[in-house]
Amino acid sequence: MRNGGLLGALMLVLALWAAAEAEPPAAKGKRTGAKGDVEIVERLLAARKEYQVTMEALRAHYIGTGDIERARWAEEELVQFHRVPKHAFRLELDVPPPTLDANKNIPEANELYRQAIKFKDKGWGQDYIDNQHRAELLFQQLLTNYPQSDKISDAAYQLGDVYESKAFRQYERAAAYFERCFQWNPKTHFDARMRAARLYERYQSERSHAIEIYKEITTHETDPKRVEEAQKKLTELSGKK
């Protein structure tokens, strides 16, 4: 990409990020996306990807030529780019469909999962936040590169946990990934149904969906504590308007 194209991509990323951060807190998390924003979000996603790939290529170039100082500059800029909060804006463009057939044992996917787990939840302060971002990138890479891997259900659960963590606090995104976990593997041992239902329960517009998942827990789960909590929640929610 020419310098003008790279600058344009960066400016689009920063402008849309700034606009999202300026939005009143009450408006965040209550919409799946305004009508007509799909094309803009698609451009944003492409710009993010192009910027990251270009910076990685620049860093690799400087490493290859022995220019350590400029390689460090590129690495520092990449680190800051990854630290910028990146919201999904349109979940359907971020979360893979529930129909993926995850049944293949793919060694490369297994290795990505192991690498991600090494970072997830590790460290304190900024180290913890950086490690959560590193784990996110690896889990997302697994879903993108190996959608038929039998690890995608586990990766979806871990992404739900990452997005719910204090490093992100992206609760609707977290709920969607928890849901994919048990959609891709109905027999998952993770408490993905419970985690998704709790998050959906937070939003008035999603209460009915939370009830559906709580009902599913009572018929699909074998853990007595999960079943007991789901039954209690169903009783509570049935009495609410």
Side-chain angles (χ1 to χ4, degrees):
M1 175 182 276
R2 291 176 298 183
N3 290 340
L6 176 57
L7 179 59
L10 175 59
M11 292 301 292
L12 176 61
V13 171
L14 294 179
L16 289 175
W17 168 64
E21 289 304 298
E23 185 179 15
K28 293 183 179 181
K30 292 186 177 181
R31 296 176 294 127
T32 58
K35 184 178 180 181
D37 66 344
V38 173
E39 183 179 350
I40 301 173
V41 175
E42 287 176 336
R43 287 170 54 204
L44 170 63
L45 296 177
R48 285 174 177 170
K49 182 63 177 177
E50 184 63 34
Y51 179 73
Q52 177 182 336
V53 169
T54 303
M55 288 303 304
E56 288 171 349
L58 187 62
R59 176 177 177 271
H61 168 76
Y62 286 136
I63 290 175
T65 60
D67 193 334
I68 304 303
E69 184 176 16
R70 284 180 172 79
R72 178 176 57 80
W73 293 349
E75 183 171 351
E76 288 175 353
E77 190 163 329
L78 269 170
V79 168
Q80 294 305 319
F81 172 71
H82 288 310
R83 285 175 175 170
V84 171
K86 299 176 186 67
H87 297 277
F89 293 104
R90 299 288 304 204
L91 286 177
E92 70 271 27
L93 298 179
D94 180 77
V95 186
T99 53
L100 292 183
D101 187 13
N103 57 12
K104 293 184 178 180
N105 181 13
I106 302 176
E108 293 83 358
N110 299 342
E111 180 58 28
L112 277 175
Y113 187 86
R114 283 192 290 269
Q115 290 177 15
I117 290 295
K118 288 180 180 179
F119 290 116
K120 183 175 175 289
D121 298 327
K122 302 300 192 299
W124 303 93
Q126 189 61 54
D127 285 341
Y128 164 79
I129 294 173
D130 287 346
N131 282 331
Q132 291 294 82
H133 282 280
R134 291 182 179 106
E136 179 211 12
L137 290 172
L138 290 168
F139 287 131
Q140 288 287 8
Q141 184 180 345
L142 191 162
L143 296 185
T144 299
N145 294 351
Y146 307 104
Q148 293 181 316
S149 164
D150 57 11
K151 280 292 184 184
I152 65 169
S153 173
D154 292 358
Y157 180 86
Q158 300 298 344
L159 279 169
D161 194 50
V162 166
Y163 289 132
E164 189 178 6
S165 74
K166 63 182 180 180
F168 286 84
R169 293 188 173 95
Q170 297 180 14
Y171 302 120
E172 287 183 301
R173 197 177 188 185
Y177 277 99
F178 283 135
E179 197 166 8
R180 288 295 183 268
C181 173
F182 61 83
Q183 288 172 333
W184 290 335
N185 179 13
K187 296 182 179 179
T188 179
H189 67 281
F190 288 117
D191 60 342
R193 291 184 181 87
M194 185 62 70
R195 300 281 296 273
R198 288 171 181 163
L199 287 171
Y200 283 128
E201 187 185 347
R202 291 186 179 191
Y203 305 102
Q204 186 68 38
S205 61
E206 297 288 353
R207 289 275 174 84
S208 61
H209 193 34
I211 290 173
E212 291 176 8
I213 299 176
Y214 282 131
K215 287 180 179 178
E216 190 173 333
I217 291 172
T218 65
T219 58
H220 287 73
E221 299 276 357
T222 58
D223 187 310
K225 291 184 178 179
R226 296 178 196 170
V227 173
E228 182 181 358
E229 180 178 342
Q231 290 172 335
K232 181 180 179 181
K233 287 292 185 180
L234 287 170
T235 301
E236 292 175 359
L237 292 173
S238 64
K240 295 181 179 179
K241 294 182 180 180

